[in-house]
Amino acid sequence: MQLYSLCFILDRAGSSSGHRTGRDPVSIIERAEVLVTSPGRNFVTLRITTSDGVTGLGDATLNGRELSVVAYLQEHVVPLLIGRDPQKIEDTWQYLYRGAYWRRGPVTMAAISAVDIALWDIKGKITGQPVYQLLGGATRVGALAYAHASGSDLPSLFTSIRNHLDQGFRAIRVQTGVPGLGQVYGVGTNQKVGEKYDYEPAKRSTVPLEEEWDSAAYLQHIPAVFEAVREEFGWSLPLLHDAHHRLTPNEAASLGKSLEPYRLFWLEDCTPAENQEALRRVRSQTTTPLAIGEVFNSVFDYQTLITEQLIDYVRSAVTHTGGISGLKKIMDFAAIYQIKSGFHGPTDISPVGQAAALHLDLAIHNFGIQEYMQHSAPTLEVFQTSYTFENGLLHPGDNPGLGVEYDDALAGTFEYQPAYLPVNRLALDGTLHDW
């Protein structure tokens, strides 16, 4: 296996670059390792070990750009951690964020996330508490999860929905193929009755696959899909849909309005949201709830969207937004404006990142829903988790820390392989398009 592991061990007799304030800590960070494994897809894990032998795991996976975070951690972050007090989570967060000068960005924030998550894991183990208890305790019995259902046509979509309902899901994201187009991102292989949904869009290749797109065909097709789903499954089932950033603000507004009769739980990523002001146009034209943010990595990406109440749900991942500490800051800000969470949780977030999200889900008051794609069996053998899914609700478990253990020997059998999400080109003329 190509295992990226960097280990710095503090010489206790020598000096440390770690920041000291007041009395020296009883325990210090003695080792940090950056681990890469690929049990079905690539994951980057940071493992921090204290001088007392307590370990913490953090997720640093950045889909399609994994090795950039590996390098950032190895070359720029790990050397700063050695000798620091592992219990000073907020101080370490600020040290890595404010001290870098080059702030924000997905690589930097994924690295900070990994450190932050690992330190919360350590603090939970030191105190003997699950992380959610350290965040103020549970505010609900579990986190409502939504599933990914898809099909190339309505019969296959209905099969996928039924399969997920049979598994206990009580909210469903609906994605379908578009007539006249080939493979569409977000639509997996058609499921058989009783089959587990297992969709991996990041293909193992040195260059991304290219797909075709036609917004007009999509906009004409999708309202009829939701009409059929409502007729088949009724009105009590929460339905979600992801437009994957493909639409202009006007197109997004039109889609939101056309879907109003079907009462969606949310419409996700309806237009590229780097231009936050674009959501003003969408918001002014539709009452369909809007979810945005899986590609965001700081509170500043949300500033206009939250203060002007242009969205209803925050879609960021704990793994990409500065960890538990960073995402909790965003959710506290969002709570002022009655905006809820809908944390990113597909299989490109490792079980470590998913566990961290669940602890936050349980603790925050303004929880909305949690995305949940079940990891493959090999992944769950490498990352042994304590979280559970029952009656549509996820729970992180009550093991100290995050409740995830890492199997080094098994991880070492899964070699890293380049993998990329697809790119989109317009069917009309081949212009590269958002997806």
Side-chain angles (χ1 to χ4, degrees):
M1 159 165 187
Q2 187 177 1
L3 176 65
Y4 291 81
S5 178
L6 183 61
C7 175
F8 285 85
I9 302 193
L10 178 68
D11 179 1
R12 294 177 187 237
S15 62
S16 165
S17 61
H19 175 59
R20 302 291 180 89
T21 57
R23 189 172 56 188
D24 283 350
V26 173
S27 176
I28 58 174
I29 295 173
E30 189 171 73
R31 180 185 297 113
E33 304 159 272
V34 185
L35 310 170
V36 179
T37 186
S38 188
R41 69 185 309 159
N42 297 317
F43 298 111
V44 180
T45 303
L46 177 69
R47 180 167 57 204
I48 294 175
T49 304
T50 72
S51 55
D52 290 339
V54 181
T55 62
L57 299 175
D59 184 16
T61 307
L62 189 62
N63 194 358
R65 298 293 185 270
E66 298 91 351
L67 300 187
S68 61
V69 188
V70 170
Y72 190 93
L73 282 167
Q74 286 182 331
E75 297 171 13
H76 304 292
V77 174
V78 167
L80 305 180
L81 297 177
I82 307 308
R84 294 187 64 84
D85 183 346
Q87 299 217 52
K88 290 186 175 179
I89 299 175
E90 179 65 18
D91 184 66
T92 298
W93 196 99
Q94 298 293 346
Y95 179 69
L96 295 176
Y97 179 80
R98 297 182 184 279
Y101 184 74
W102 304 106
R103 300 180 185 179
R104 303 163 60 190
V107 174
T108 296
M109 297 307 288
I112 293 175
S113 296
V115 175
D116 184 80
I117 294 168
L119 293 183
W120 278 108
D121 193 19
I122 287 171
K123 186 176 283 286
K125 290 173 180 176
I126 289 173
T127 61
Q129 296 287 324
V131 167
Y132 75 83
Q133 293 288 14
L134 305 180
L135 299 173
T139 60
R140 58 193 48 82
V141 297
L144 177 67
Y146 73 87
H148 288 201
S150 70
S152 61
D153 53 22
L154 286 178
S156 59
L157 172 63
F158 288 178
T159 296
S160 183
I161 293 173
R162 291 190 186 99
N163 285 344
H164 284 100
L165 293 176
D166 289 344
Q167 293 167 24
F169 283 96
R170 289 155 45 185
I172 304 290
R173 191 188 83 164
V174 172
Q175 309 292 132
T176 68
V178 177
L181 298 181
Q183 175 66 38
V184 174
Y185 178 81
V187 179
T189 303
N190 290 343
Q191 291 175 266
K192 298 176 183 178
V193 175
E195 189 176 39
K196 180 180 177 292
Y197 186 82
D198 190 13
Y199 172 54
E200 175 47 77
K203 304 303 180 186
R204 301 303 180 100
S205 64
T206 56
V207 294
L209 298 179
E210 296 191 0
E211 299 177 353
E212 287 188 331
W213 182 250
D214 185 332
S215 293
Y218 164 76
L219 291 169
Q220 182 177 359
H221 175 64
I222 204 68
V225 170
F226 278 90
E227 180 180 20
V229 171
R230 281 297 182 210
E231 288 179 356
E232 182 71 17
F233 294 96
W235 293 88
S236 62
L237 178 64
L239 299 178
L240 305 84
H241 180 66
D242 189 349
H244 289 296
H245 313 102
R246 295 168 174 137
L247 305 177
T248 66
N250 261 1
E251 291 170 341
S254 174
L255 177 62
K257 194 165 188 64
S258 70
L259 293 176
E260 284 177 11
Y262 312 112
R263 301 208 300 264
L264 268 63
F265 187 96
W266 78 35
L267 172 61
E268 177 184 349
D269 288 340
C270 57
T271 191
E274 295 97 321
N275 177 15
Q276 297 183 38
E277 292 82 358
L279 271 294
R280 292 175 184 151
R281 173 64 175 165
V282 181
R283 191 62 137 183
S284 70
Q285 298 299 309
T286 181
T287 58
T288 296
L290 303 175
I292 288 287
E294 71 177 61
V295 298
F296 288 172
N297 49 75
S298 84
V299 69
F300 299 103
D301 296 316
Y302 284 103
Q303 190 167 7
T304 298
L305 301 178
I306 289 176
T307 57
E308 297 189 19
Q309 301 177 70
L310 301 179
I311 59 172
D312 300 278
Y313 296 93
V314 167
R315 278 286 293 132
S316 283
V318 176
T319 302
H320 303 143
T321 324
I324 293 170
S325 300
L327 192 47
K328 189 176 187 301
K329 289 177 172 67
I330 294 174
M331 293 315 304
D332 288 343
F333 177 37
I336 300 172
Y337 300 92
Q338 297 178 297
I339 296 169
K340 296 182 178 181
S341 69
F343 297 150
H344 190 53
T347 50
D348 62 359
I349 303 298
S350 89
V352 175
Q354 183 74 301
L358 297 183
H359 284 279
L360 194 54
D361 287 335
L362 218 59
I364 60 175
H365 178 260
N366 54 330
F367 169 78
I369 201 166
Q370 174 63 53
E371 182 176 18
Y372 180 44
M373 286 183 70
Q374 294 160 304
H375 286 97
S376 67
T379 297
L380 293 175
E381 291 170 0
V382 172
F383 299 91
Q384 298 159 13
T385 65
S386 65
Y387 56 77
T388 58
F389 176 66
E390 186 175 359
N391 297 323
L393 303 180
L394 287 160
H395 192 284
D398 288 310
N399 290 359
L402 294 175
V404 182
E405 299 298 329
Y406 188 87
D407 187 324
D408 286 83
L410 187 57
T413 67
F414 296 106
E415 293 188 0
Y416 168 81
Q417 298 178 50
Y420 293 95
L421 295 173
V423 298
N424 231 10
R425 292 190 181 273
L426 295 181
L428 177 65
D429 63 5
T431 300
L432 197 68
H433 188 66
D434 294 305
W435 62 271

